[in-house]
Amino acid sequence: MEVRPPLRIPDAKAFSTVEVVRVKHWHEHLFSFSVTRPNSFRFRSGEFVMLGMAVDDKPLMRAYSIASPAYADELDFLSVKVPDGPLTSQLQRIRNGDQLYLGRKPTGTLVADALLPGRRLFLLATGTGLAPFLSIARDPDIYEAYSQVILVHSVRHVSELAFRNELEAQLAGDPLVQDQALLQFHYIPTVTRESFRTTGRIQQLIQTEELFGHPVIGPKCFDPGQDRIMLCGSMEMIKEFSEYFEALEFQEGSNAAPGQFVIERAFVG
């Protein structure tokens, strides 16, 4: 590995400067990283923030969902690697000690406040859409609001199942939710292009009712009376599932008018 000094960036009035403290490469196209958290930075589980680097001495920023719980001392992020991406082509090379820009105002609609009360909370994710659900699944208030929290993560390859060990362990070791998660949190990973214990797209798991098998309790289908849904993934996935749930008479929620399912509008237009 090339030896180089940590990257330093010029101050920018609109953004905070944070330092990379950890980087993990999960797959040739996927990595996660953690940065220091400014003392004044507050966010709700599921929100996103602008994050970036200095390119030609100017901030180049993109929206990233925050993957860490709201009480954490560090901020976690999950990112794809795009070889010719203006930001990710450089971001994927960051190392401990490098500096990044962080927006000061997190926001978003993929939050519990946008949902009506219910019994089961389904978090349906593809790819890096997992990120906001890593935060939500470690939010103690979620376990007070729902009797079950079911995280479904669909990827192409097994190596893309980021944070798999922690999720399979039902968040054991988490200082605030481990006891509740042991009883209420269920993780359903599925892989579409390799052999795995669960294979196929999320839609297939719904059709075969695998999604509702043990240890999930309740009806073998989505019920707008008790189920609440959060969606995060590709634009195609969001569009397909939004239409699917609307056909089941689920109403999309927002911060102003809570509903039965919610997506991150900022990422899909």
Side-chain angles (χ1 to χ4, degrees):
M1 180 181 292
E2 175 192 1
V3 177
R4 62 164 175 79
L7 294 177
R8 291 293 178 260
I9 55 179
D11 290 339
K13 290 184 178 180
F15 307 110
S16 298
T17 298
V18 295
E19 185 172 305
V20 177
V21 296
R22 187 166 48 257
V23 182
K24 180 176 178 64
H25 294 271
W26 299 92
H27 181 269
E28 61 180 331
H29 301 301
L30 181 71
F31 71 110
S32 61
F33 57 98
S34 302
V35 302
T36 53
R37 179 177 181 171
N39 291 333
S40 60
F41 190 84
R42 299 289 182 271
F43 69 97
R44 294 179 297 171
S45 302
E47 289 189 318
F48 69 89
V49 67
M50 302 303 291
L51 183 81
M53 303 177 70
V55 176
D56 296 328
D57 291 330
K58 296 180 181 179
L60 177 61
M61 311 296 290
R62 295 290 185 269
Y64 278 86
S65 293
I66 304 167
S68 48
Y71 55 81
D73 294 331
E74 300 168 351
L75 300 175
D76 300 334
F77 299 94
L78 185 63
S79 178
V80 294
K81 302 176 185 179
V82 181
D84 57 351
L87 178 60
T88 57
S89 61
Q90 299 185 57
L91 191 63
Q92 64 187 279
R93 298 186 176 92
I94 58 173
R95 299 177 187 172
N96 291 2
D98 288 349
Q99 292 182 335
L100 300 176
Y101 290 121
L102 179 76
R104 300 183 191 278
K105 294 183 179 180
T107 188
T109 54
L110 198 67
V111 293
D113 292 342
L115 290 174
L116 294 167
R119 292 186 57 78
R120 301 191 299 189
L121 175 63
F122 286 88
L123 310 173
L124 307 184
T126 60
T128 56
L130 173 71
F133 299 152
L134 291 170
S135 178
I136 290 167
R138 289 177 286 178
D139 185 337
D141 292 340
I142 287 293
Y143 295 93
E144 296 299 323
Y146 299 95
S147 59
Q148 296 179 82
V149 178
I150 302 106
L151 170 56
V152 187
H153 188 205
S154 175
V155 297
R156 295 176 179 178
H157 304 283
V158 176
S159 57
E160 295 174 83
L161 290 172
F163 299 95
R164 174 184 168 190
N165 290 342
E166 295 92 324
L167 296 171
E168 286 185 335
Q170 293 178 279
L171 306 176
D174 186 282
L176 295 188
V177 305
Q178 63 175 355
D179 293 339
Q180 291 167 299
L182 183 62
L183 300 174
Q184 298 170 243
F185 176 74
H186 309 307
Y187 170 57
I188 305 174
T190 185
V191 177
T192 61
R193 295 190 180 180
E194 286 183 344
S195 296
F196 190 63
R197 65 174 183 269
T198 305
T199 59
R201 300 169 69 225
I202 296 174
Q203 293 88 335
Q204 292 175 249
L205 303 187
I206 296 170
Q207 292 167 1
T208 61
E209 298 184 357
E210 278 187 87
L211 195 70
F212 309 99
H214 180 79
V216 177
I217 301 171
K220 303 296 184 183
C221 61
F222 289 114
D223 176 6
Q226 66 170 302
D227 292 333
R228 300 296 173 258
I229 319 292
M230 289 186 169
L231 304 170
C232 196
S234 68
M235 292 181 65
E236 293 78 13
M237 176 264 202
I238 296 296
K239 181 177 185 295
E240 180 178 351
F241 270 116
S242 293
E243 293 174 353
Y244 172 79
F245 284 112
E246 287 171 354
L248 293 178
E249 299 186 350
F250 280 73
Q251 299 294 318
E252 183 181 347
S254 67
N255 282 292
Q260 294 149 316
F261 81 96
V262 69
I263 66 175
E264 182 46 72
R265 278 284 165 192
F267 293 157
V268 299

